[in-house]
Amino acid sequence: SSASRSGLLSQRGASQVAPGHAASWVRLTAVATTRDEGIDEPSSAAKRILEQAVAAGFETLVKAQEGIWARRWHDTDIAIDGPARDQMMIRFGIFSLLQVAPFHADTLSIPARCYAYNRYNGLYFWDGEIFLLPFYQFCAPPVARNLLSFRCRTLPGARRNAALLGAEGAIFPWQGDADFGEEQAPWGLHKYLWHQNADIIYAFDQYARATGNEAFLCNEGLEVLAETARFWVSQLQRGDDGLYHLEATVGPDEAEEHGPDNGYTSLMARRSLEISNRWWNCAMDKTPGAADLAAAKLGLIDGEVDEWASLAGKVSIPEVPGCAGVPLQDAFFLSRKPADISNMTVEEYWKKRGEVQVIKQADIVLAMYLLEDRFTKEEIRRGYEFYEPKTLHVSSLSYNTHAIVAAIIGKPHDAYDYFRKAAGLDLDNLRDATKDGLHAAALGAVWQMAIPGFMGMRVREDHLAFEPALPDAWKEIRFPIQYHGWHLRFAVGGGRYRIDVSGEGRPGAMLKIGGASWALDAGPTIEGRYRP
């Protein structure tokens, strides 16, 4: 029945209960929206769902719910022989990711603060592609597909964003919604905050490599690949040095001063152009019909795809003087005073950030992790050691990135320390921000710290690689992933590994671990040793 106040619903009931007896109430609720696949009239759909639920009965519904969650945990759970707190944090992160995942539709994404809209109004950020998608593409590939398909659906809004800038192609919003796909960010950020375009394309590529679903990129993804590349081409300006520069951009720290040659954005734009070139060439070779149709629709001209690769090789990436191979964060950083930030508060940070060398969050360190194949391990170590003492970790995306990179470069104590801070970000309320909702990306990064971090998992061009380096506190880790259609269950610890292989995946799919290479279709069990 309608409540007394407009806009609210309520139900009332009464019963007499004799002493020593119990009464049970079963309340059934159905939620349906037009964003759910196949639903045009939510009210009638919700009524139909309720009628089916009443007919099924409570016990049947509970059993079905238990079955769904049992299957989801089977495909995602990480179990460790280690501190109970670490285990709890990992499972809380996984549960949260399962709770917010769009299993049912590709017409929506995952809000930055999960279901609490006290901050960011339920909008979607680049966090989804960089920090959430890796979990889904390895543990729930249909969800990963939905998240990327959502970006394809919102391409018209991204085109309108580019038009507002007088640019070509499309620029996806830094802060976007499910209805229009246009930029919702304040402060005129759309004029120079563009790295999300490259982050999304990076995720497209990672998804195809992890799942083997090349058809998605060679069909639905072609327009996104082309239009984002066109945006970068229209914004890159040739300098007197013969290189191409992004003149006014900013990286993951959106409040930083924007200017020329931002390191993170330039690095990711270069990779984005390379990815678009690669997959368009792949489509023209493997699915020429789809490529021809997309090219005609877009008005793609001869030589345009080749131009993306040519420009990518000439993007300006300045380096830190004296740190060979380490990209410079931006044009302003070194002009500021060096400072000891070990005791700096967040309030002091906001006052002094333009005066001293202090960084809000992982920026170049994040780029070197994402683009690890472009750097030597020594260059990544130099980058970490240069930027880490200057980073205050104000963002929820910083502790976790440093944990992963510390694991890469052989700093196990740093890695584990950052893991515990990052995993406890919300439950420990480290930034007094939990009241505004959970940090979805930080929860996704808990899985990343465990698997890409401590297990050293990387998606390579033609194989899946692992370099285990578990924390001393963890004796063993057990987890499932999916790769190219194969279902893999790992048990790793103490210098030994066992991998149970099931499913029917791509023939010839390869896995490398502990210096050994394995074909996944060679047998149901893989066992070996690695150097801990």
Side-chain angles (χ1 to χ4, degrees), residues 145-190:
R145 167 68 182 267
N146 282 345
L147 291 172
L148 296 180
S149 182
F150 167 80
R151 291 296 191 180
C152 295
R153 284 179 174 272
T154 58
L155 181 60
R159 287 180 170 132
R160 291 191 290 270
N161 288 332
L164 287 174
L165 294 170
E168 300 296 325
I171 174 70
F172 283 93
W174 177 71
Q175 210 175 42
D177 67 345
D179 296 317
F180 305 106
E182 296 176 8
E183 184 62 74
Q184 305 292 320
W187 314 312
L189 290 177
H190 70 284

Side-chain angles (χ1 to χ4, degrees), residues 67-358:
I68 289 171
W69 277 98
R71 290 192 297 274
R72 290 181 180 176
W73 277 113
H74 178 269
D75 291 341
T76 60
D77 185 35
I78 295 175
I80 63 168
D81 290 344
R85 173 184 168 82
D86 292 355
Q87 179 69 86
M88 180 270 291
M89 293 293 189
I90 290 171
R91 284 186 168 145
F92 176 75
I94 292 172
F95 168 73
S96 299
L97 295 174
L98 293 173
Q99 189 180 40
V100 299
F103 284 93
H104 61 301
D106 63 358
T107 52
L108 69 167
S109 189
I110 299 174
R113 284 301 188 89
C114 296
Y115 288 134
Y117 294 167
N118 297 346
R119 292 292 303 274
Y120 311 133
N121 305 304
L123 296 173
Y124 313 130
F125 288 71
W126 63 283
D127 310 6
E129 281 71 30
I130 297 301
F131 294 95
L132 294 174
L133 197 85
F135 166 78
Y136 297 119
Q137 71 190 18
F138 283 107
C139 296
V143 173
R145 167 68 182 267
N146 282 345
L147 291 172
L148 296 180
S149 182
F150 167 80
R151 291 296 191 180
C152 295
R153 284 179 174 272
T154 58
L155 181 60
R159 287 180 170 132
R160 291 191 290 270
N161 288 332
L164 287 174
L165 294 170
E168 300 296 325
I171 174 70
F172 283 93
W174 177 71
Q175 210 175 42
D177 67 345
D179 296 317
F180 305 106
E182 296 176 8
E183 184 62 74
Q184 305 292 320
W187 314 312
L189 290 177
H190 70 284
K191 297 176 182 177
Y192 52 84
L193 183 51
W194 305 330
H195 67 81
Q196 64 276 4
N197 234 31
D199 300 326
I200 290 166
I201 297 305
Y202 177 90
F204 272 55
D205 182 59
Q206 289 286 299
Y207 167 79
R209 293 189 187 201
T211 64
N213 187 2
E214 296 184 354
F216 175 75
L217 265 69
C218 294
N219 289 278
E220 295 99 314
L222 284 178
E223 288 191 48
V224 174
L225 291 166
E227 293 290 64
T228 52
R230 283 173 162 176
F231 175 81
W232 294 120
V233 171
S234 73
Q235 298 306 110
L236 285 163
Q237 303 296 318
R238 191 174 189 274
D240 294 337
D241 56 3
L243 299 177
Y244 286 82
H245 302 260
L246 291 172
E247 296 294 344
T249 55
V250 71
D253 181 359
E254 70 282 352
E256 186 56 270
E257 187 174 358
H258 59 281
D261 294 332
N262 177 270
Y264 180 92
T265 302
S266 297
L267 284 163
M268 293 299 288
R270 179 174 69 181
R271 176 54 59 89
S272 181
L273 287 166
E274 292 169 345
I275 291 169
S276 292
N277 168 268
R278 176 192 176 202
W279 285 107
W280 261 89
N281 280 321
C282 179
M284 289 187 287
D285 179 47
K286 295 184 177 181
T287 56
D292 289 344
L293 286 173
K297 180 179 179 181
L298 295 166
L300 208 67
I301 61 175
D302 289 344
E304 190 171 353
V305 173
D306 292 337
E307 182 189 19
W308 302 340
S310 176
L311 282 180
K314 300 174 185 176
V315 173
S316 174
I317 312 288
E319 294 184 356
V320 175
C323 287
V326 178
L328 180 62
Q329 175 165 310
D330 55 46
F332 314 106
F333 188 71
L334 295 180
S335 66
R336 296 168 183 158
K337 298 176 183 178
D340 178 3
I341 68 166
S342 57
N343 295 313
M344 181 180 286
T345 65
V346 174
E347 291 74 19
E348 289 172 332
Y349 161 78
W350 288 109
K351 293 178 181 179
K352 296 182 178 180
R353 57 178 298 167
E355 304 172 13
V356 302
Q357 292 180 8
V358 59

